[in-house]
């Protein structure tokens, strides 16, 4: 009798395990079914549109790719993490695919999309075009949006918002290692100084660029930015012009101070703050909940 009971218990456990696996597969399929990959002349991007009409748009910038990673896969991972927040806060999500061929890292510190560069179209204009297209899908019908990016994606966020501060509702920079400081004494992308340069893409494509930034844009941006970093993310960072600090935490604090000081010169109260998350390293997934809190607070 005991043997039969043991067999029955084992059978029930196997059935329950199979049901849980099927539920998990079904949930994942449902989530991914709502995330679609779209293509355009400028580049590819993922979108997520919640069931209820969204109020606003949020753009998600993924981090730098490793040698084994595919930009499309990474962008999909990032957007999927934000789906619960999209449903809660009424957001249409956009995750640009910053692939190597069109937005990849360039030599000499001119790092592709993180510095707003793009081979066919600049990374910031690529995002603007997508947001403009989807603004009518939202109840606000606004082309201003929330902005998030991790690591290299955080660099994109930093440089986007000081270029287009009026297009951002609020932004969070997750664990960036480099910034554009509000100073004309260092050239873009590390400062606001004018940059005139010919850059060369990996396939040999050449571009002549001239970039000039307004320090007032940095001041306006300072009202809308939070920085989130893990407390153990202390790997030494390479020296860059204008940067003060040896790791991501020190550099973030120095940039926040510089931004808030610059804002004062324009009669603006800067509010760039740095949140250090205990016992977290350079992890986009672990920092995501804190990034959402920085963007939307508690409801």
């Amino acid at each position: 009798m005991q043997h039969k009971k043991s067999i029955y218990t084992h059978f029930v456990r196997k059935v329950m395990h199979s049901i849980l696996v099927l539920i998990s597969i079904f949930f994942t399929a449902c989530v991914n079914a709502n995330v679609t990959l779209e293509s355009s002349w400028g580049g590819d991007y993922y979108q997520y549109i919640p069931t209820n009409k969204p109020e606003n748009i949020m753009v998600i910038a993924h981090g730098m790719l490793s040698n084994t990673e595919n930009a499309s896969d990474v962008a999909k991972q990032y957007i999927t993490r934000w789906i619960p927040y999209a449903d809660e806060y009424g957001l249409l999500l956009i995750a640009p695919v910053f692939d190597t061929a069109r937005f990849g890292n360039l030599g000499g510190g001119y790092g592709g999309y993180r510095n707003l560069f793009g081979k066919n179209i600049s990374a910031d204009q690529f995002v603007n075009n997508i947001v403009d297209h989807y603004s009518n899908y939202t109840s606000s019908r606004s082309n201003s949006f929330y902005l998030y990016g991790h690591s290299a994606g955080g660099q994109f966020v930093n440089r986007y918002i000081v270029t287009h501060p009026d297009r951002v509702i609020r932004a969070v920079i997750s664990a960036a290692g480099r910034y554009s400081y509000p100073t004309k004494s260092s050239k873009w992308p590390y400062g606001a100084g004018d940059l005139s340069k010919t850059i060369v893409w990996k396939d040999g494509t050449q571009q002549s660029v001239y970039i000039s930034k307004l320090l007032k844009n940095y001041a306006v941006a300072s009202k809308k930015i939070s920085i989130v970093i893990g407390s153990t993310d202390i790997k030494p960072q390479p020296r860059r012009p204008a940067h003060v600090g040896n790791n991501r935490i020190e550099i973030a604090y120095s940039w926040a101070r510089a931004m808030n000081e610059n804002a004062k010169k324009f009669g603006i109260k800067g509010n760039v703050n740095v949140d250090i998350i205990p016992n977290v390293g350079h992890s986009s997934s672990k920092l995501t909940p804190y990034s959402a809190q920085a963007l939307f607070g508690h409801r």
Side-chain angles (χ1 to χ4, degrees):
M1 182 71 179
Q2 185 69 29
H3 179 64
K4 287 184 178 180
K5 184 178 180 181
S6 176
I7 293 174
Y8 175 75
T9 302
H10 178 70
F11 173 76
V12 170
R13 286 177 177 170
K14 285 190 70 175
V15 169
M16 290 302 295
H17 175 73
S18 298
I19 291 172
L20 289 173
V21 169
L22 287 172
I23 290 172
S24 175
I25 292 172
F26 175 74
F27 175 76
T28 302
C30 287
V31 168
N32 289 337
N34 291 323
V35 174
T36 60
L37 177 64
E38 306 293 330
S39 296
S40 69
W41 169 80
D44 302 334
Y45 60 92
Y46 282 96
Q47 65 163 26
Y48 171 77
I49 304 176
T51 302
N52 296 326
K53 191 176 183 69
E55 182 178 352
N56 289 299
I57 292 171
M58 178 175 172
V59 173
I60 299 165
H62 63 76
M64 186 177 74
L65 308 173
S66 72
N67 292 332
T68 60
E69 288 180 320
N70 176 280
S72 183
D73 293 340
V74 173
K76 188 173 184 180
Q77 289 173 5
Y78 272 65
I79 196 172
T80 301
R81 288 189 197 121
W82 282 90
I83 286 176
Y85 305 104
D87 291 338
E88 181 177 0
Y89 298 113
L91 303 169
L92 188 158
L93 302 180
I94 300 294
V97 177
F98 291 124
D99 57 87
T100 300
R102 289 174 286 195
F103 298 101
N105 191 36
L106 303 171
Y110 297 95
Y113 75 96
R114 73 188 72 192
N115 297 334
L116 308 188
F117 296 124
K119 189 170 72 171
N120 299 327
I121 184 173
S122 66
D124 55 329
Q125 190 57 52
F126 174 51
V127 166
N128 288 346
N129 290 349
I130 299 171
V131 171
D132 289 345
H133 173 73
Y134 283 95
S135 61
N136 287 335
Y137 286 63
T138 66
S139 58
S140 68
R141 301 177 72 86
S142 172
N143 64 2
S144 296
F145 58 94
Y146 292 95
L147 181 58
Y148 156 87
H150 176 75
S151 196
Q155 293 188 49
F156 170 85
V157 170
N158 152 230
R159 295 181 175 103
Y160 180 94
I161 196 171
V162 300
T163 303
H164 308 281
D166 294 333
R167 293 205 61 154
V168 177
I169 301 170
R170 183 149 191 85
V172 62
I173 298 170
S174 172
R178 259 78 86 203
Y179 297 83
S180 177
Y181 277 68
T183 174
K184 284 290 187 178
S185 62
S186 294
K187 294 180 180 180
W188 182 265
Y190 303 117
D194 296 354
L195 175 70
S196 180
K197 185 177 178 60
T198 298
I199 58 176
V200 182
W201 291 81
K202 291 184 181 297
D203 65 357
T205 300
Q206 295 189 10
Q207 285 179 329
S208 295
V209 297
Y210 176 75
I211 297 173
S212 183
K213 301 297 175 182
L214 299 174
L215 287 177
K216 186 174 182 180
N217 281 354
Y218 288 70
V220 175
S222 70
K223 300 185 297 181
K224 305 179 179 184
I225 310 170
S226 293
I227 305 172
V228 175
I229 308 177
S231 66
T232 63
D233 193 356
I234 54 175
K235 179 181 177 180
Q237 296 299 300
R239 292 287 182 182
R240 301 297 186 194
H243 285 56
V244 178
N246 298 308
N247 57 49
R248 289 185 175 90
I249 294 174
E250 293 176 0
I251 294 170
Y253 275 122
S254 75
W255 183 76
R257 286 194 299 271
M259 288 289 287
N260 292 334
E261 286 297 320
N262 176 70
K264 289 180 183 178
K265 299 174 184 177
F266 293 89
I268 293 173
K269 184 178 180 181
N271 192 33
V272 182
N273 61 294
V274 182
D275 294 331
I276 307 300
I277 310 306
N279 304 314
V280 175
H282 194 63
S283 169
S284 59
S285 59
K286 291 181 180 179
L287 290 174
T288 294
Y290 301 98
S291 297
Q293 183 176 321
L295 282 175
F296 308 113
H298 297 283
R299 286 191 179 182

